[in-house]
Amino acid sequence: MITGLDLLRNQPIHCTTGIDKLDGDGFDEGIYDISGSIGYGSIGVYEIIIELMISKLGNGGKVLFIESYNKFPWFKLEMNKRYDKRFANMVDCISIDNLMELIILMKNNDRLLNNYNMIIIDSFNLMYEGFIEELKGEKSKYEQCVHLLFYQMNKLCGNGKIMFTIGGMSSISQRVYKEEEEDDDDEGEESSEGENIVNRYIKQDILVPTISLNNKLNIYYKRRIIIYRDWIYDDEQLSNCEYISFERDVIRLNEGKIKCVPHYISIGEGSSVSGFFLISKTFELIDIEGGMGVDDYEVTDNDMEDRKSVV
């Protein structure tokens, strides 16, 4: 029998992070991805998820956290000023070892999973990479299994559920070529003007989402969010942010007038937004561009001792 409480729980609830530009119209039913650069657990990914969890829990929803390679920092949730002790009975956590176990979980446990309004899958990138490696040379089987997983996830989200895949990004190497004129003694290709041209390149390592934005699986995602650290000017109020050139402003950096803070890019449904935020010592998000107060913010790796003293 379906009760009134069950109906209420299944109503779409728009969750928010408190960062106005990132939230937009809020996070409603669907699948979302949050990918962070190296050390994603310390640059804001978990803090964003925690704000979304609290937003859902505060409206009576239930949350399931699925962990594998990493352990969720529950102390960050409990230290958040909006945390309520009753939330402890509204959040469950299960552990799995690999993507195949996740596929089985999503396929065979509709009744269990329908008890939750939000499902968070941590370390999704590592499970995905491990699965590709395991099925190397069996592309058709890999594609069939992964599409089955996302089909089941999408099907579960059809009744107001929100699902997140979170994790790090993958490192890839690429060659960046540039043409240079050769010395007369060098061998090279001759241009139409008769000049000797040599193709020189540098090797560049970059971080990209494990599931590419051009991957066919991207159609299942309602929004993709990428988090990394970037540099901003630091005025007295820390309320105005803009991109800067590190080389040009190295003096400002040494004077403490530039700060390294988390930067997000949110891509979805034909549009994208980007911006900056800070993390307080109690692991709450601070909307710099929204003009919130920043009396107790924590922004750089050099402030880890402050964070430890709080924990």
Side-chain angles (χ1 to χ4, degrees):
M1 181 177 69
I2 300 176
T3 66
L5 181 59
D6 292 329
L7 291 173
L8 178 62
R9 283 176 175 167
N10 287 327
Q11 290 300 311
I13 299 172
H14 290 229
C15 299
T16 59
T17 65
I19 303 175
D20 291 342
K21 196 159 63 168
L22 176 60
D23 288 335
D25 295 327
F27 293 78
D28 54 11
E29 69 176 30
I31 307 172
Y32 299 82
D33 177 63
I34 306 179
S35 298
S37 58
I38 296 173
Y40 73 90
S42 64
I43 64 168
V45 172
Y46 282 137
E47 285 79 3
I48 288 175
I49 280 294
I50 285 170
E51 293 291 350
L52 292 166
M53 288 173 64
I54 289 177
S55 181
K56 177 66 73 176
L57 295 168
N59 285 286
K62 293 187 66 178
V63 175
L64 175 65
F65 194 90
I66 302 173
E67 63 182 17
S68 54
Y69 291 85
N70 293 328
K71 298 296 181 182
F72 183 72
W74 297 105
F75 69 92
K76 290 187 177 183
L77 174 64
E78 294 170 358
M79 288 185 65
N80 190 292
K81 292 178 181 178
R82 295 197 297 141
Y83 177 77
D84 190 305
K85 289 183 179 180
R86 64 189 175 90
F87 293 166
N89 296 321
M90 302 164 66
V91 180
D92 292 324
C93 178
I94 60 176
S95 297
I96 58 175
D97 292 326
N98 51 56
L99 198 75
M100 184 55 72
E101 289 188 11
L102 180 62
I103 293 171
I104 295 171
L105 174 67
M106 291 291 167
K107 182 180 178 182
N108 300 331
N109 293 277
D110 286 11
R111 189 170 181 178
L112 167 67
L113 298 175
N114 280 328
N115 290 323
Y116 300 97
N117 308 94
M118 178 183 288
I119 297 176
I120 302 158
I121 306 168
D122 196 6
S123 303
F124 187 79
N125 64 306
L126 296 178
M127 289 192 288
Y128 182 82
E129 289 176 337
F131 192 68
I132 293 177
E133 185 65 27
E134 185 179 342
L135 293 183
K136 212 169 192 178
E138 300 182 62
K139 185 176 179 181
S140 60
K141 183 177 180 181
Y142 141 73
E143 289 182 343
Q144 181 181 2
C145 291
V146 174
H147 276 283
L148 173 62
L149 170 63
F150 274 86
Y151 171 78
Q152 292 296 334
M153 290 165 60
N154 190 59
K155 183 179 176 182
L156 283 166
C157 290
N159 58 358
K161 197 183 308 300
I162 303 176
M163 198 171 296
F164 291 92
T165 59
I166 65 175
M169 292 194 281
S170 299
S171 175
I172 65 171
S173 296
Q174 63 180 13
R175 292 181 176 183
V176 180
Y177 288 90
K178 57 181 180 177
E179 288 187 349
E180 295 181 350
E181 291 188 11
E182 277 194 321
D183 295 331
D184 293 337
D185 295 334
D186 292 338
E187 295 183 359
E189 299 178 0
E190 188 172 302
S191 69
S192 58
E193 289 78 19
E195 297 174 328
N196 285 335
I197 301 296
V198 63
N199 288 323
R200 301 186 186 277
Y201 69 87
I202 59 173
K203 184 180 178 182
Q204 183 183 55
D205 292 327
I206 60 174
L207 291 171
V208 297
T210 301
I211 296 180
S212 165
L213 298 178
N214 296 321
N215 192 302
K216 292 180 181 179
L217 296 173
N218 199 51
I219 63 171
Y220 290 103
Y221 282 115
K222 196 163 188 177
R223 207 191 310 178
R224 306 286 300 276
I225 299 171
I226 299 170
I227 310 290
Y228 61 96
R229 286 190 180 275
D230 209 340
W231 301 95
I232 63 167
Y233 287 118
D234 179 16
D235 62 14
E236 290 183 358
Q237 301 299 322
L238 262 181
S239 58
N240 297 315
C241 303
E242 57 180 302
Y243 295 100
I244 64 173
S245 166
F246 176 80
E247 291 81 3
R248 186 189 68 213
D249 291 306
V250 67
I251 296 177
R252 287 175 178 257
L253 177 66
N254 291 331
E255 292 176 347
K257 294 180 179 179
I258 299 173
K259 291 192 178 293
C260 181
V261 304
H263 180 208
Y264 66 84
I265 300 175
S266 178
I267 305 165
E269 298 184 351
S271 64
S272 65
V273 296
S274 66
F276 299 88
F277 62 92
L278 299 178
I279 303 171
S280 76
K281 290 182 180 180
T282 51
F283 308 106
E284 293 149 342
L285 301 181
I286 299 173
D287 188 357
I288 305 176
E289 296 160 307
M292 292 178 63
V294 291
D295 293 335
D296 62 343
Y297 64 84
E298 179 279 321
V299 291
T300 67
D301 293 333
N302 294 330
D303 291 326
M304 285 306 293
E305 291 303 318
D306 292 337
R307 174 173 286 189
K308 289 176 183 176
S309 66
V310 175
V311 179

